[in-house]
mmCIF file of all heavy atoms in Angstrom:
data_model
loop_
_atom_site.group_PDB
_atom_site.id
_atom_site.type_symbol
_atom_site.label_atom_id
_atom_site.label_comp_id
_atom_site.label_asym_id
_atom_site.label_seq_id
_atom_site.Cartn_x
_atom_site.Cartn_y
_atom_site.Cartn_z
ATOM 1 N N CYS Q 1 130.129 39.288 50.405
ATOM 2 C CA CYS Q 1 129.837 38.947 51.790
ATOM 3 C C CYS Q 1 129.921 40.217 52.618
ATOM 4 O O CYS Q 1 130.867 40.983 52.521
ATOM 5 C CB CYS Q 1 130.837 37.911 52.273
ATOM 6 S SG CYS Q 1 130.450 37.313 53.918
ATOM 7 N N SER Q 2 128.911 40.454 53.458
ATOM 8 C CA SER Q 2 128.926 41.610 54.351
ATOM 9 C C SER Q 2 128.535 41.135 55.737
ATOM 10 O O SER Q 2 128.184 39.982 55.951
ATOM 11 C CB SER Q 2 127.959 42.691 53.856
ATOM 12 O OG SER Q 2 126.633 42.230 53.974
ATOM 13 N N ALA Q 3 128.520 42.052 56.706
ATOM 14 C CA ALA Q 3 128.163 41.706 58.075
ATOM 15 C C ALA Q 3 126.727 41.208 58.155
ATOM 16 O O ALA Q 3 126.378 40.402 58.997
ATOM 17 C CB ALA Q 3 128.369 42.909 58.987
ATOM 18 N N GLU Q 4 125.850 41.684 57.264
ATOM 19 C CA GLU Q 4 124.445 41.285 57.289
ATOM 20 C C GLU Q 4 124.178 40.020 56.489
ATOM 21 O O GLU Q 4 123.074 39.523 56.468
ATOM 22 C CB GLU Q 4 123.558 42.421 56.731
ATOM 23 C CG GLU Q 4 123.394 43.594 57.663
ATOM 24 C CD GLU Q 4 124.613 44.507 57.659
ATOM 25 O OE1 GLU Q 4 125.335 44.548 56.648
ATOM 26 O OE2 GLU Q 4 124.862 45.142 58.676
ATOM 27 N N GLY Q 5 125.132 39.483 55.772
ATOM 28 C CA GLY Q 5 124.936 38.268 54.978
ATOM 29 C C GLY Q 5 125.402 38.473 53.558
ATOM 30 O O GLY Q 5 126.228 39.328 53.269
ATOM 31 N N LEU Q 6 124.858 37.658 52.646
ATOM 32 C CA LEU Q 6 125.245 37.713 51.247
ATOM 33 C C LEU Q 6 124.421 38.754 50.501
ATOM 34 O O LEU Q 6 123.217 38.848 50.679
ATOM 35 C CB LEU Q 6 125.055 36.352 50.582
ATOM 36 C CG LEU Q 6 125.931 35.229 51.119
ATOM 37 C CD1 LEU Q 6 125.575 33.929 50.433
ATOM 38 C CD2 LEU Q 6 127.388 35.540 50.893
ATOM 39 N N THR Q 7 125.057 39.526 49.665
ATOM 40 C CA THR Q 7 124.394 40.522 48.853
ATOM 41 C C THR Q 7 124.751 40.247 47.404
ATOM 42 O O THR Q 7 125.922 40.078 47.079
ATOM 43 C CB THR Q 7 124.877 41.947 49.220
ATOM 44 O OG1 THR Q 7 124.647 42.147 50.594
ATOM 45 C CG2 THR Q 7 124.170 42.996 48.388
ATOM 46 N N ALA Q 8 123.766 40.183 46.550
ATOM 47 C CA ALA Q 8 124.022 39.968 45.129
ATOM 48 C C ALA Q 8 124.480 41.263 44.500
ATOM 49 O O ALA Q 8 123.824 42.286 44.639
ATOM 50 C CB ALA Q 8 122.764 39.460 44.444
ATOM 51 N N MET Q 9 125.616 41.216 43.818
ATOM 52 C CA MET Q 9 126.150 42.397 43.159
ATOM 53 C C MET Q 9 125.260 42.743 41.975
ATOM 54 O O MET Q 9 124.842 41.867 41.234
ATOM 55 C CB MET Q 9 127.568 42.134 42.685
ATOM 56 C CG MET Q 9 128.360 43.348 42.439
ATOM 57 S SD MET Q 9 130.066 42.858 42.163
ATOM 58 C CE MET Q 9 130.642 44.363 41.472
ATOM 59 N N GLY Q 10 124.940 43.979 41.816
ATOM 60 C CA GLY Q 10 124.075 44.409 40.725
ATOM 61 C C GLY Q 10 122.610 44.416 41.136
ATOM 62 O O GLY Q 10 121.750 44.792 40.370
ATOM 63 N N GLN Q 11 122.324 43.985 42.380
ATOM 64 C CA GLN Q 11 120.944 43.996 42.848
ATOM 65 C C GLN Q 11 120.567 45.430 43.207
ATOM 66 O O GLN Q 11 121.390 46.194 43.713
ATOM 67 C CB GLN Q 11 120.843 43.080 44.080
ATOM 68 C CG GLN Q 11 119.440 42.853 44.528
ATOM 69 C CD GLN Q 11 119.411 41.857 45.691
ATOM 70 O OE1 GLN Q 11 120.402 41.691 46.371
ATOM 71 N NE2 GLN Q 11 118.279 41.228 45.888
ATOM 72 N N HIS Q 12 119.332 45.818 42.968
ATOM 73 C CA HIS Q 12 118.877 47.175 43.230
ATOM 74 C C HIS Q 12 118.979 47.437 44.732
ATOM 75 O O HIS Q 12 118.603 46.607 45.542
ATOM 76 C CB HIS Q 12 117.424 47.334 42.766
ATOM 77 C CG HIS Q 12 116.996 48.768 42.742
ATOM 78 N ND1 HIS Q 12 116.519 49.389 43.884
ATOM 79 C CD2 HIS Q 12 116.991 49.681 41.759
ATOM 80 C CE1 HIS Q 12 116.217 50.642 43.585
ATOM 81 N NE2 HIS Q 12 116.495 50.833 42.305
ATOM 82 N N PRO Q 13 119.496 48.608 45.146
ATOM 83 C CA PRO Q 13 119.698 48.908 46.560
ATOM 84 C C PRO Q 13 118.431 48.790 47.385
ATOM 85 O O PRO Q 13 118.491 48.472 48.563
ATOM 86 C CB PRO Q 13 120.230 50.339 46.568
ATOM 87 C CG PRO Q 13 120.755 50.579 45.204
ATOM 88 C CD PRO Q 13 119.999 49.663 44.290
ATOM 89 N N ALA Q 14 117.271 49.041 46.822
ATOM 90 C CA ALA Q 14 116.028 48.979 47.574
ATOM 91 C C ALA Q 14 115.715 47.538 47.974
ATOM 92 O O ALA Q 14 114.962 47.309 48.906
ATOM 93 C CB ALA Q 14 114.882 49.548 46.745
ATOM 94 N N HIS Q 15 116.255 46.551 47.284
ATOM 95 C CA HIS Q 15 115.962 45.152 47.573
ATOM 96 C C HIS Q 15 116.921 44.523 48.554
ATOM 97 O O HIS Q 15 116.768 43.372 48.916
ATOM 98 C CB HIS Q 15 115.978 44.344 46.278
ATOM 99 C CG HIS Q 15 114.955 44.789 45.287
ATOM 100 N ND1 HIS Q 15 113.620 44.609 45.484
ATOM 101 C CD2 HIS Q 15 115.095 45.440 44.099
ATOM 102 C CE1 HIS Q 15 112.941 45.116 44.464
ATOM 103 N NE2 HIS Q 15 113.814 45.616 43.611
ATOM 104 N N SER Q 16 117.969 45.215 48.963
ATOM 105 C CA SER Q 16 118.911 44.652 49.911
ATOM 106 C C SER Q 16 119.393 45.728 50.857
ATOM 107 O O SER Q 16 119.513 46.891 50.474
ATOM 108 C CB SER Q 16 120.097 44.033 49.175
ATOM 109 O OG SER Q 16 120.811 45.031 48.497
ATOM 110 N N PRO Q 17 119.685 45.344 52.087
ATOM 111 C CA PRO Q 17 120.161 46.351 53.045
ATOM 112 C C PRO Q 17 121.589 46.757 52.723
ATOM 113 O O PRO Q 17 122.364 45.952 52.204
ATOM 114 C CB PRO Q 17 120.094 45.619 54.392
ATOM 115 C CG PRO Q 17 120.173 44.166 54.044
ATOM 116 C CD PRO Q 17 119.541 44.028 52.700
ATOM 117 N N PRO Q 18 121.946 48.001 53.003
ATOM 118 C CA PRO Q 18 123.319 48.442 52.776
ATOM 119 C C PRO Q 18 124.238 47.766 53.784
ATOM 120 O O PRO Q 18 123.804 47.377 54.869
ATOM 121 C CB PRO Q 18 123.265 49.951 52.996
ATOM 122 C CG PRO Q 18 122.099 50.161 53.902
ATOM 123 C CD PRO Q 18 121.114 49.068 53.573
ATOM 124 N N PRO Q 19 125.508 47.626 53.439
ATOM 125 C CA PRO Q 19 126.444 47.025 54.384
ATOM 126 C C PRO Q 19 126.604 47.909 55.617
ATOM 127 O O PRO Q 19 126.449 49.114 55.537
ATOM 128 C CB PRO Q 19 127.748 46.909 53.606
ATOM 129 C CG PRO Q 19 127.574 47.708 52.369
ATOM 130 C CD PRO Q 19 126.118 47.936 52.168
ATOM 131 N N ALA Q 20 126.931 47.292 56.764
ATOM 132 C CA ALA Q 20 127.075 48.030 58.028
ATOM 133 C C ALA Q 20 128.192 49.052 57.930
ATOM 134 O O ALA Q 20 128.035 50.172 58.377
ATOM 135 C CB ALA Q 20 127.344 47.056 59.171
ATOM 136 N N SER Q 21 129.303 48.672 57.361
ATOM 137 C CA SER Q 21 130.397 49.610 57.162
ATOM 138 C C SER Q 21 131.205 49.129 55.974
ATOM 139 O O SER Q 21 131.182 47.968 55.624
ATOM 140 C CB SER Q 21 131.266 49.729 58.404
ATOM 141 O OG SER Q 21 132.028 48.554 58.559
ATOM 142 N N SER Q 22 131.936 50.036 55.371
ATOM 143 C CA SER Q 22 132.702 49.667 54.198
ATOM 144 C C SER Q 22 133.827 48.705 54.549
ATOM 145 O O SER Q 22 134.293 47.973 53.712
ATOM 146 C CB SER Q 22 133.261 50.909 53.492
ATOM 147 O OG SER Q 22 134.124 51.578 54.377
ATOM 148 N N SER Q 23 134.260 48.679 55.798
ATOM 149 C CA SER Q 23 135.354 47.789 56.176
ATOM 150 C C SER Q 23 134.876 46.334 56.320
ATOM 151 O O SER Q 23 135.663 45.429 56.281
ATOM 152 C CB SER Q 23 136.004 48.259 57.468
ATOM 153 O OG SER Q 23 135.052 48.211 58.523
ATOM 154 N N SER Q 24 133.563 46.122 56.507
ATOM 155 C CA SER Q 24 133.069 44.767 56.669
ATOM 156 C C SER Q 24 132.687 44.107 55.351
ATOM 157 O O SER Q 24 132.351 42.956 55.315
ATOM 158 C CB SER Q 24 131.855 44.745 57.621
ATOM 159 O OG SER Q 24 130.782 45.442 57.023
ATOM 160 N N THR Q 25 132.729 44.847 54.258
ATOM 161 C CA THR Q 25 132.372 44.309 52.940
ATOM 162 C C THR Q 25 133.630 43.800 52.246
ATOM 163 O O THR Q 25 134.667 44.446 52.272
ATOM 164 C CB THR Q 25 131.713 45.399 52.075
ATOM 165 O OG1 THR Q 25 130.597 45.902 52.775
ATOM 166 C CG2 THR Q 25 131.298 44.848 50.723
ATOM 167 N N VAL Q 26 133.508 42.639 51.632
ATOM 168 C CA VAL Q 26 134.628 42.070 50.873
ATOM 169 C C VAL Q 26 134.776 42.862 49.596
ATOM 170 O O VAL Q 26 133.804 43.123 48.885
ATOM 171 C CB VAL Q 26 134.366 40.587 50.555
ATOM 172 C CG1 VAL Q 26 135.456 40.041 49.649
ATOM 173 C CG2 VAL Q 26 134.265 39.791 51.829
ATOM 174 N N ASP Q 27 135.978 43.266 49.277
ATOM 175 C CA ASP Q 27 136.264 44.018 48.062
ATOM 176 C C ASP Q 27 135.924 43.163 46.850
ATOM 177 O O ASP Q 27 136.266 41.983 46.805
ATOM 178 C CB ASP Q 27 137.746 44.403 48.046
ATOM 179 C CG ASP Q 27 138.144 45.231 46.853
ATOM 180 O OD1 ASP Q 27 137.248 45.717 46.130
ATOM 181 O OD2 ASP Q 27 139.358 45.383 46.642
ATOM 182 N N SER Q 28 135.270 43.739 45.840
ATOM 183 C CA SER Q 28 134.867 42.975 44.662
ATOM 184 C C SER Q 28 136.064 42.416 43.889
ATOM 185 O O SER Q 28 135.943 41.459 43.151
ATOM 186 C CB SER Q 28 133.990 43.827 43.738
ATOM 187 O OG SER Q 28 134.758 44.901 43.220
ATOM 188 N N SER Q 29 137.238 42.980 44.070
ATOM 189 C CA SER Q 29 138.416 42.452 43.379
ATOM 190 C C SER Q 29 138.860 41.124 43.972
ATOM 191 O O SER Q 29 139.573 40.381 43.336
ATOM 192 C CB SER Q 29 139.563 43.465 43.400
ATOM 193 O OG SER Q 29 140.013 43.638 44.732
ATOM 194 N N THR Q 30 138.426 40.804 45.217
ATOM 195 C CA THR Q 30 138.778 39.517 45.817
ATOM 196 C C THR Q 30 137.614 38.531 45.754
ATOM 197 O O THR Q 30 137.723 37.424 46.249
ATOM 198 C CB THR Q 30 139.201 39.703 47.290
ATOM 199 O OG1 THR Q 30 138.092 40.245 48.013
ATOM 200 C CG2 THR Q 30 140.425 40.584 47.401
ATOM 201 N N ALA Q 31 136.496 38.941 45.182
ATOM 202 C CA ALA Q 31 135.341 38.052 45.077
ATOM 203 C C ALA Q 31 135.627 36.941 44.068
ATOM 204 O O ALA Q 31 136.532 37.027 43.262
ATOM 205 C CB ALA Q 31 134.109 38.848 44.666
ATOM 206 N N ILE Q 32 134.812 35.897 44.121
ATOM 207 C CA ILE Q 32 134.981 34.766 43.216
ATOM 208 C C ILE Q 32 134.705 35.223 41.789
ATOM 209 O O ILE Q 32 133.653 35.787 41.512
ATOM 210 C CB ILE Q 32 134.037 33.623 43.601
ATOM 211 C CG1 ILE Q 32 134.342 33.158 45.031
ATOM 212 C CG2 ILE Q 32 134.138 32.468 42.626
ATOM 213 C CD1 ILE Q 32 133.316 32.223 45.596
ATOM 214 N N ALA Q 33 135.665 34.989 40.896
ATOM 215 C CA ALA Q 33 135.541 35.398 39.492
ATOM 216 C C ALA Q 33 136.300 34.401 38.648
ATOM 217 O O ALA Q 33 137.172 33.690 39.143
ATOM 218 C CB ALA Q 33 136.098 36.806 39.300
ATOM 219 N N PRO Q 34 136.004 34.324 37.337
ATOM 220 C CA PRO Q 34 136.743 33.408 36.463
ATOM 221 C C PRO Q 34 138.233 33.712 36.480
ATOM 222 O O PRO Q 34 138.640 34.863 36.567
ATOM 223 C CB PRO Q 34 136.152 33.681 35.070
ATOM 224 C CG PRO Q 34 134.839 34.322 35.328
ATOM 225 C CD PRO Q 34 134.957 35.040 36.629
#
């Protein structure tokens, strides 16, 4: 989850906008995982 919406992890950077700032992006260690 970022300020601009949902971003799929592993998606090519050209297909999604970069996050506004690193502080607004949820750390991948807290993302939903098994």
Side-chain angles (χ1 to χ4, degrees):
C1 186
S2 68
E4 286 78 27
L6 295 176
T7 303
M9 200 171 165
Q11 189 176 22
H12 192 276
H15 298 291
S16 64
S21 72
S22 61
S23 63
S24 66
T25 304
V26 174
D27 182 12
S28 65
S29 66
T30 62
I32 300 170

